[in-house]
Amino acid sequence: MEATVQHPARREPGSDRPRRLLLAVDAPSLLHRNHHARAHTRLTDRSGRPAWALHGMLRQIIESIDTFAPDAVIFGLDDRQASVRRDLYPAYKAHRADKDPDLVDQLERAGALLDALGLATLTPPGLEADDVNASAAAWAEEQDWACVLITSDRDAFAHISEHTQVLRLIDGGINASPLLNPQRLQLMYGVAAEHYLEYAALRGDASDNLPGVSGIGEKTAAVLLSAMGSMQAVWADLEHDEGRTLAAALDSWSAEHGTRRISAGVLRRLSAPGARERFEFNLQLMSGRRDLDLGLTPDIPGTPGLLPLDISRVERVVGHLNMEATTALALRVLTGDPASTRR
């Protein structure tokens, strides 16, 4: 499942004309990953400030642009001063260790670097890059564009659709990272893309310090959604028919797969005090905002986020990171025309 094996579905139905492509990048996710992977290099920019995370993020994005040839790129950034989710749930991400000052410095400089290049950035007040991803997926569907979300987090899987795929960066770089569409997500988790958010809310998210519904792990969550279609159907059956349809569906699934029956235990756990409230609270915190104004104006040449970029800006800004090979790659990739204009 390498990124180079299958590009996003870009053909418009009934037409030879390719859909235009938006890349939406979870910048903090990439910066965190590159900080830990590249800290040993102690790379600094021309002013002597730490730059290994910034360089790693930018290098991966340039490689992604070279792979996918998008028409526009937007970077989501976290509001580092305020958090709507933390206001609702003070324990949100509270277990995470304090960030390395060198990482903090690079997180705070990332937006200015990307803006200086002419790429689009969005820091939604009180929100996170995940919300920018959600809005990018919604924007692509509304505009009939294709979309690829680039992140190292699983949260973005909730936005996978026929318009939107997720390149989840893992060890090995762009070419070794899975590009997930609805079919691949179903194969990996046994969950339809449109129900991934419900699956995540049941399971919880240890990285965000969000416990799931007690006793319902990943496997059981996937079985529930496979057997019943949606959690709305599960809760309705529990409320109005004491879970009889749910029990029958789970028993049928167990018989079909030759496993022990789990229906009694699942009904007990879902009927426990606070179970539904936990699920719905997780759903609230995990849901990304889909209505943010991305500020993209694809019909106005030269506006932030649209490719190609200005040669002199690319040379100056990327050159400041003090890596000649990356500057050369950036000049080749970022200043050429996107694929949809070459066909």
Side-chain angles (χ1 to χ4, degrees), residues 14 22 30 33-34 38 95 103 122 134 139 146 153 169-170 209 223 233 257 259 263 305 307 328:
L22 171 66
L30 270 64
R33 189 169 189 85
N34 279 285
R38 298 172 182 259
H95 64 307
L103 172 59
L122 180 59
W139 184 92
D153 292 339
L169 291 181
I170 56 176
N209 205 30
V223 171
H257 290 83
T259 64
S263 56
L307 297 172

Side-chain angles (χ1 to χ4, degrees), residues 22-35 53-54 56-58 60-61 64 73-80 85 92-93 96 99 103 107 110-111 114 120-124 127-134 136-137 147-157 159 165-169 174 205 207-208:
L22 171 66
L23 292 189
V25 183
D26 181 346
S29 171
L30 270 64
L31 285 163
H32 278 82
R33 189 169 189 85
N34 279 285
H35 170 71
L54 290 169
M57 174 194 71
L58 193 57
Q60 288 184 324
I61 293 310
S64 297
V73 185
I74 186 165
F75 289 79
L77 297 163
D78 297 342
D79 184 344
R80 294 178 46 76
R85 292 176 176 87
Y92 183 65
K93 298 184 179 180
R96 297 188 181 183
K99 293 182 177 66
L103 172 59
L107 285 166
L114 297 166
T121 65
L122 180 59
T123 308
L127 299 173
E128 305 172 6
D130 292 340
D131 297 290
V132 180
N133 275 346
C147 181
V148 171
L149 308 179
I150 301 179
T151 182
S152 60
D153 292 339
R154 292 188 296 178
D155 297 342
F157 295 173
H159 314 310
Q165 300 186 59
V166 172
L167 180 68
R168 189 188 183 200
L169 291 181
I174 297 299
D205 189 340
S207 69
D208 288 342

Side-chain angles (χ1 to χ4, degrees), residues 199-219:
Y199 166 81
L202 283 167
R203 176 200 65 203
D205 189 340
S207 69
D208 288 342
N209 205 30
L210 281 174
V213 175
S214 181
I216 305 295
E218 291 192 355
K219 291 182 180 179

Side-chain angles (χ1 to χ4, degrees), residues 2 17 20 46 89 91 149 167 194-195 242 244 251 254 261 274 299 308 330 337:
E2 295 184 350
R17 185 177 65 178
R20 289 191 279 183
R46 288 179 177 171
Y89 180 53
L149 308 179
L167 180 68
E194 60 268 28
H195 296 302
E242 298 180 345
R244 290 184 176 86
D251 287 343
S254 297
R261 290 188 176 187
D299 296 323
D337 291 332

Side-chain angles (χ1 to χ4, degrees), residues 1 4-5 22 30 37 48 58 66 71 76 87 97 115 119 137 160 220 234 242 245 250 257 289 294 298 305 311 325:
M1 292 195 298
T4 53
V5 171
L22 171 66
L30 270 64
L58 193 57
D66 198 25
D71 299 87
D87 290 343
D115 288 339
L119 294 167
I160 290 174
T220 303
V234 170
E242 298 180 345
T245 299
L250 292 175
H257 290 83
R289 282 279 300 274
L294 302 182
I311 292 175

Side-chain angles (χ1 to χ4, degrees), residues 38-45 48-56 106 321-323:
R38 298 172 182 259
H40 67 281
T41 69
R42 310 311 294 176
L43 176 70
T44 59
D45 61 24
R49 300 181 71 176
W52 56 84
L54 290 169
H55 172 258
Q106 293 175 83
L321 293 178
N322 210 21
M323 290 292 288

